[in-house]
Amino acid sequence: MINHDDALKAVESSLDRPSAARIYDYFIGGNTHYAIDRAFAEKVRARLPLMGDYCLTSRQFLGRAVRQCVQEGIGQFVDVGSGLPTAGNVHEVADEARPELDTQVLYIDNEPIALAHSTLLLADTADPERHHAIAADFLQPDDLWERVKASDIIDVREPVALVINAVMHFVKDEQNPDELLAFYRERLAPGSLLVISQMTNENPVNEDERQALIDLLEYYETTTNPGFLRTMAEFERFFGGWPMLAPGLVYAPAWHPDEHTVFAGSPSESRVIGGVARKP
């Protein structure tokens, strides 16, 4: 964890490019974003008017998945690519689902700006005995997992919920996502749960939407995190053949929807797919 002064310096030095984490925060109604992020977000919204709803879909899926993990008996969460603390943080959802307040949450992000904001914001809502934020890179699995083991709040010998929510669309195929996911799956204890979601380019409703999704990737090339979309079939391999919790790999709004779920009546319009699998 970086200290408060270093966190402020990291925030101040990050304003030359839009931050994917702050853009997402803006789209889901958070408060941690700047003019450069808002301008980029509105450019995206002009091309994809429902982009804010797509981001909200990802966040809502995260909350429902965390609640389900708690119901499945999981008390440890490792949130990789956690981004900014904002509405519906994993530790808040887990504590709400488990009033005993005994769940442990480790937030991990490689963006200095995300870690900086975590340092500044988690202090308001987190229990320092159970909730930590650390710097590590999903693309450097050995180092990341060593930091998880050294965190003092996660016991990797016991089942863990590994959360990789709204991250894989920032990992291109040339970055070897299959090897990365295989590494993490291998190190999880039996009974662990793997939570993954990403944006999809499957079945665009028309040619304009197909082109808009291509344009979206071009836009994100100018941010801190260029993007990469996948179909359902291209995405499913990341679960490694593990048994999926019902209802399987689906459009995110179809995964245990509740009264707040956007696109509940038309899940395929959400542009977000996700699922939860259990390690045998």
Side-chain angles (χ1 to χ4, degrees):
M1 181 78 76
I2 59 179
N3 65 44
H4 186 275
D5 289 341
D6 288 342
L8 285 174
K9 290 177 183 176
V11 171
E12 292 168 0
S13 66
S14 71
L15 301 181
D16 60 328
R17 281 191 302 164
S19 157
R22 294 194 308 256
I23 294 163
Y24 181 79
D25 178 74
Y26 175 72
F27 273 130
I28 65 173
N31 298 305
T32 311
H33 41 75
Y34 298 93
I36 193 170
D37 309 302
R38 294 189 288 272
F40 178 89
E42 291 306 326
K43 176 183 176 182
V44 171
R45 200 196 304 271
R47 190 68 184 92
L48 273 171
L50 294 178
M51 188 66 185
D53 289 332
Y54 302 158
C55 292
L56 182 57
T57 293
S58 293
R59 196 67 179 178
Q60 290 181 339
F61 169 77
L62 173 65
R64 299 195 304 276
V66 169
R67 283 192 291 273
Q68 187 65 37
C69 287
V70 172
Q71 293 174 16
E72 297 285 335
I74 300 293
Q76 302 187 102
F77 293 83
V78 176
D79 186 359
V80 178
S82 52
L84 298 170
T86 188
N89 294 303
V90 170
H91 71 276
E92 294 169 326
V93 176
D95 280 354
E96 182 179 308
R98 176 118 179 124
E100 292 86 348
L101 303 182
D102 58 358
T103 56
Q104 316 275 99
V105 180
L106 183 64
Y107 294 103
I108 301 175
D109 206 284
N110 71 325
E111 268 202 273
I113 185 59
L115 184 66
H117 282 299
S118 294
T119 301
L120 298 172
L121 300 178
L122 278 180
D124 295 333
T125 64
D127 176 351
E129 298 297 316
R130 300 186 293 117
H131 311 133
H132 292 181
I134 65 172
D137 191 339
F138 176 73
L139 302 179
Q140 299 178 14
D142 290 291
D143 176 70
L144 184 149
W145 203 249
E146 285 302 314
R147 291 171 186 253
V148 171
K149 292 192 293 184
S151 68
D152 294 330
I153 67 167
I154 299 296
D155 183 353
V156 298
R157 299 167 298 181
E158 297 296 325
V160 170
L162 179 62
V163 178
I164 309 173
N165 186 62
V167 170
M168 296 308 297
H169 48 239
F170 295 124
V171 182
K172 298 184 178 183
D173 277 354
E174 54 263 36
Q175 294 172 297
N176 299 317
D178 299 273
E179 293 179 15
L180 292 167
L181 267 299
F183 175 95
Y184 293 116
R185 290 194 306 266
E186 181 180 341
R187 278 150 185 81
L188 292 173
S192 292
L193 295 176
L194 180 59
V195 180
I196 324 179
S197 76
Q198 84 152 80
M199 278 193 68
T200 181
N201 54 2
E202 183 156 345
N203 297 326
V205 295
N206 53 38
E207 177 61 24
D208 183 65
E209 186 182 36
R210 185 194 69 79
Q211 184 60 50
L213 292 170
I214 293 173
D215 294 344
L216 176 68
L217 297 182
E218 292 181 358
Y219 292 171
Y220 267 85
E221 288 291 327
T222 67
T223 74
T224 56
N225 296 91
F228 190 87
L229 304 183
R230 295 181 177 88
T231 65
M232 197 88 73
E234 292 168 337
F235 180 68
E236 185 173 16
R237 70 188 197 266
F238 296 148
F239 293 96
W242 288 2
M244 304 285 291
L245 300 190
L249 176 56
V250 294
Y251 285 98
W255 203 90
H256 299 281
D258 57 28
E259 66 274 17
H260 304 294
T261 302
V262 294
F263 297 110
S266 52
S268 65
E269 296 179 12
S270 70
R271 298 286 108 218
V272 181
I273 52 178
V276 181
R278 187 192 304 277
K279 184 168 185 176

